[in-house]
Amino acid sequence: MSPNLEPVLVLIPEVPTMSRPQRVNQQHAAARWALQQSAWRSGAPQSGWLQRDDGAPLPLETWHWSISHTQTLAAAVVADRPVGIDVERIRPRREELFDAIGHPAEWEILQNRTWRSFFQLWTAKEAVLKCHQLGIAYLKDARLVKRAGPRRLAIELRGETVTIEYLEWGEQVAAVTCFDARVVWHAQTCFT
């Protein structure tokens, strides 16, 4: 077992001629490949990762896992405790979304309301929700309480404070729950 948290990110090539079902299959395959790589790096089994009917990951032996993907990036992480990971592409959205996901005190902690900070907060909250196997309906219940260091945020949910670490890769951001563990990001430009 690795003493580090070993999340794996992989770029997904954009192929304009792909149909939507083909693109979704490609994203799923990239996320599963990243899961296998994170498992290998963590000393966990590389196969046997199952999901509930609602898509939530089922633990494998003593291992927990989480995956996420966008059109152009997939991510996965395996850990010896409940874990969550989320990725998003940084892009402008509707302005009212700032208030939909963050409280004024949270924006004060982040010291700005840019799309970059929006997606840092969004992915941090999503990672914490995934760690607790909760859906997006609980997004406002997860509260940013402080910056916990460079690229680290502390999110409180249900009386528990969880540290997340985020990584920006080009115009994309990934966040993983880390509970103060050392995070070793592995970024790949392709998968096979």
Side-chain angles (χ1 to χ4, degrees):
M1 170 174 41
S2 172
N4 303 319
L5 198 58
E6 308 271 350
V8 174
L9 306 174
V10 61
L11 285 177
I12 302 171
E14 293 186 82
V15 181
T17 58
M18 256 189 203
S19 68
R20 179 163 170 63
Q22 289 172 318
R23 196 167 41 251
V24 169
N25 285 340
Q26 181 188 40
Q27 293 164 2
H28 181 75
R32 283 295 177 152
W33 183 86
L35 176 63
Q36 183 182 29
Q37 295 300 305
S38 181
W40 174 74
R41 290 176 182 282
S42 301
Q46 293 180 41
S47 61
W49 304 100
L50 302 174
Q51 293 170 286
R52 298 187 321 212
D53 290 340
D54 66 359
L58 290 169
L60 177 62
E61 300 168 5
T62 60
W63 297 95
H64 300 264
W65 61 284
S66 181
I67 60 175
S68 181
H69 58 77
T70 66
Q71 272 190 305
T72 57
L73 185 66
V77 65
V78 173
D80 61 353
R81 67 193 94 174
V83 67
I85 196 165
D86 192 50
V87 295
E88 290 291 337
R89 190 177 208 168
I90 300 168
R91 65 195 189 288
R93 306 282 298 268
R94 296 184 335 266
E95 289 287 326
E96 58 268 15
L97 287 177
F98 281 100
D99 295 326
I101 73 140
H103 301 275
E106 292 174 296
W107 295 117
E108 190 173 309
I109 291 168
L110 292 172
Q111 299 179 332
N112 61 41
R113 285 172 55 127
T114 65
W115 291 113
R116 189 164 301 284
S117 63
F118 174 88
F119 284 107
Q120 289 169 1
L121 184 59
W122 177 278
T123 57
K125 287 185 175 193
E126 274 282 318
V128 171
L129 292 177
K130 287 180 176 185
C131 180
H132 288 84
Q133 294 196 343
L134 296 172
I136 196 90
Y138 296 90
L139 196 67
K140 288 278 270 203
D141 293 345
R143 290 281 189 114
L144 174 64
V145 292
K146 70 178 180 176
R147 281 203 173 272
R151 297 188 350 229
R152 286 198 174 202
L153 301 173
I155 303 285
E156 185 179 86
L157 178 68
R158 296 182 167 179
E160 178 185 14
T161 301
V162 178
T163 305
I164 68 90
E165 183 171 302
Y166 64 89
L167 176 72
E168 293 180 23
W169 192 16
E171 288 303 308
Q172 303 182 95
V173 63
V176 65
T177 56
C178 61
F179 299 95
D180 296 325
R182 180 172 178 256
V183 178
V184 179
W185 294 95
H186 302 279
Q188 307 279 149
T189 56
C190 63
F191 70 99
T192 54

